[in-house]
Amino acid sequence: MLDFTGKTNTTPTTNAPSKGRTMNNYPIQDSSIEPREYAKFGNQLRRLAKTLDSANLNIPESLTQGPMSYEQQANQLVTELAQSSTENHLDKAAEATLNGEDPTPHLLNAAAWDRRLGLNKRILELSRAKYVEQVNDNADNITEQLRKNDFTPAIRRLKTLLTKHPDKPWNLDLAVSSGDYAHAAIIKDNQDIADTLHEAITIRGLIYNDEAFTTPAAYITKPGYKGKVQTADLNWWATIINAGYTPHLPTANEWEALEQSEPFTKHREAEAKKIAEFNATEEPQIVQNLMHEGRQMSR
């Protein structure tokens, strides 16, 4: 899995996660995978580190620095360990042995130089692996901080606005086209609410894998919502709140637990039943219509 950008601004799927499955975050990868995918993975880790660095989070500093992703960084470390090949380390080791001296430093230098390419590769791989391990260990903590410090206060602000301005549209273009410029100004002045909510969801999407947060339960606490999830749109948040939904920012495990809860399970079963009944009713009619038109059914 290499897409860790979450599922924001997409139409949610109706596939429920498998019951009892453990939600892992980033997989550990090494350079034996396809080079482009390995490079893509490194770019994603650097993007994550940069995003975490710009967020106001109480997390280990190493998470904001990112892994050692650039080859020149590893090369510098290798060069410091593996001294120049202009010296014949084996000859020096032999001379030291003949002189009754310890040849170990020369042998280490010889080994380091001979294995420098493999050492470079392993430095990069282990640096990524250690970073990924930290991301996995801190994913829930980061999400909980985002929820407490950013997401929940932003939702609270929006609910206050909706109470102060009932029955108002929160689409800027619609407000302008209808001539309600005063309300358009309010929408524009409070776009930062949507920006905050979208950023929190984007960061959450970056720290879990692409199997997480693929259904509406990742964004709202009760079933029934159908449509496109548009987390960067203030009007979308206002619409779902006015429709009686409660927005939330669950961790991956919290999302899975909600998805497997009785209300969501019953809702999926009811939807599946409706589809089955519709198919059972409509298919014979479609076949009959096609036969009436003299067309053959292809299976």
Side-chain angles (χ1 to χ4, degrees):
M1 290 169 289
L2 290 168
D3 178 13
F4 302 99
T5 57
K7 298 294 178 184
T8 56
N9 292 329
T10 61
T11 303
T13 65
T14 56
N15 296 328
S18 57
K19 189 172 183 179
R21 177 172 59 82
T22 300
M23 176 57 66
N24 297 316
N25 301 338
Y26 280 83
I28 302 295
Q29 298 189 347
D30 60 48
S31 59
S32 63
I33 66 174
E34 201 273 328
R36 288 186 180 180
E37 293 299 320
Y38 186 67
K40 178 183 176 182
F41 185 63
N43 289 336
Q44 289 171 325
L45 294 184
R46 286 193 292 273
R47 178 191 173 196
L48 172 60
K50 184 177 181 180
T51 303
L52 293 177
D53 188 39
S54 64
N56 184 24
L57 296 167
N58 182 21
I59 55 177
E61 185 178 355
S62 53
L63 279 176
T64 64
Q65 295 173 345
M68 185 175 293
S69 300
Y70 297 100
E71 287 192 10
Q72 58 264 36
Q73 292 176 287
N75 281 331
Q76 183 177 353
L77 283 178
V78 172
T79 300
E80 292 173 358
L81 291 172
Q83 298 180 18
S84 173
S85 62
T86 57
E87 298 184 27
N88 191 322
H89 301 299
L90 288 178
D91 280 357
K92 287 183 173 292
E95 290 176 8
T97 302
L98 291 172
N99 295 331
E101 300 170 354
D102 183 8
T104 302
H106 305 294
L107 291 172
L108 290 175
N109 285 333
W113 179 258
D114 290 341
R115 301 296 300 274
R116 65 192 183 280
L117 296 180
L119 178 60
N120 182 299
K121 175 183 174 182
R122 289 303 294 156
I123 287 174
L124 290 174
E125 290 175 355
L126 290 177
S127 176
R128 288 186 178 188
K130 288 181 179 295
Y131 185 75
V132 162
E133 186 177 0
Q134 275 202 305
V135 172
N136 291 340
D137 289 343
N138 285 273
D140 286 357
N141 175 40
I142 291 171
T143 303
E144 289 163 3
Q145 288 189 56
L146 290 170
R147 178 167 59 203
K148 178 181 178 181
N149 300 331
D150 301 309
F151 189 90
T152 300
I155 291 295
R156 191 180 301 121
R157 273 185 59 197
L158 179 55
K159 287 182 176 180
T160 299
L161 275 176
L162 297 180
T163 300
K164 289 182 178 179
H165 306 279
D167 303 322
K168 286 284 189 178
W170 291 89
N171 180 290
L172 181 60
D173 293 337
L174 183 60
V176 171
S177 64
S178 66
D180 193 348
Y181 301 115
H183 188 62
I186 293 173
I187 296 174
K188 189 174 181 179
D189 289 343
N190 288 280
Q191 174 58 34
D192 66 300
I193 294 176
D195 294 341
T196 298
L197 296 171
H198 182 65
E199 181 182 26
I201 285 173
T202 299
I203 294 175
R204 182 186 66 171
L206 284 171
I207 58 179
Y208 293 98
N209 68 40
D210 62 341
E211 292 183 11
F213 314 120
T214 54
T215 66
Y219 309 97
I220 52 181
T221 59
K222 72 176 184 178
Y225 176 78
K226 296 179 181 179
K228 195 174 183 180
V229 175
Q230 297 176 295
T231 59
D233 185 358
L234 184 65
N235 185 56
W236 183 80
W237 293 104
T239 299
I240 63 170
I241 291 173
N242 283 332
Y245 293 103
T246 300
H248 71 148
L249 188 74
T251 65
N253 287 330
E254 290 169 343
W255 162 68
E256 281 206 313
L258 182 62
E259 189 66 27
Q260 296 298 336
S261 67
E262 184 177 357
F264 278 84
T265 299
K266 286 186 174 181
H267 177 74
R268 285 195 302 274
E269 292 172 349
E271 290 295 303
K273 183 178 180 181
K274 286 181 183 178
I275 293 173
E277 290 175 349
F278 175 82
N279 290 338
T281 302
E282 292 296 314
E283 185 170 348
Q285 185 62 47
I286 292 173
V287 173
Q288 184 178 4
N289 291 342
L290 290 174
M291 292 177 65
H292 179 72
E293 295 172 6
R295 295 162 60 186
Q296 293 183 348
M297 283 289 290
S298 61
R299 292 285 182 178

